[in-house]
Amino acid sequence: MFTVTEIVKDGILEIQFSGEGTNHKFYQIICPIGKIMQQGKITGYTRRTCLYVGDLKKGDYTFKLDESESKDFIVQ
């Protein structure tokens, strides 16, 4: 389970994990038409991490963690 910054204004997307944190999770940032804009791996046991998304155009995106969960956010 996790939460993300719903409205990104400064180019930094903050992800907070509940429970015991994470260990080696793959993520994707997907645009509304389904194109993968950014992807990578979050490693180590962490409860919070930040990703730079300042290169993305303004609009709606989805943050997908592994294949199990996804959350929407907006870049302004």
Side-chain angles (χ1 to χ4, degrees), residues 15-54:
I15 302 106
Q16 293 183 342
F17 300 97
S18 60
E20 297 180 15
T22 183
N23 184 27
H24 306 295
K25 300 278 189 181
F26 291 96
Y27 73 88
Q28 296 177 331
I29 295 177
I30 304 167
C31 74
I33 61 171
K35 182 179 176 186
I36 298 171
M37 304 302 291
Q38 188 175 333
Q39 63 184 356
K41 185 168 135 178
I42 299 171
T43 59
Y45 291 99
T46 183
R47 289 184 163 241
R48 184 175 126 176
T49 191
C50 295
L51 298 173
Y52 178 72
V53 294

Side-chain angles (χ1 to χ4, degrees), residues 1-16 29-30 49-51 53 56-63 70-76:
M1 200 71 185
F2 66 94
T3 60
V4 298
T5 308
E6 292 182 10
I7 299 176
V8 177
K9 294 182 181 178
D10 57 357
I12 303 296
L13 176 67
E14 183 179 336
I15 302 106
Q16 293 183 342
I29 295 177
I30 304 167
T49 191
C50 295
L51 298 173
V53 294
L56 298 177
K57 293 182 180 180
K58 293 180 180 181
D60 298 333
Y61 294 91
T62 300
F63 178 84
S70 63
K71 305 277 185 189
D72 294 332
F73 68 96
I74 300 169
V75 174
Q76 290 188 338

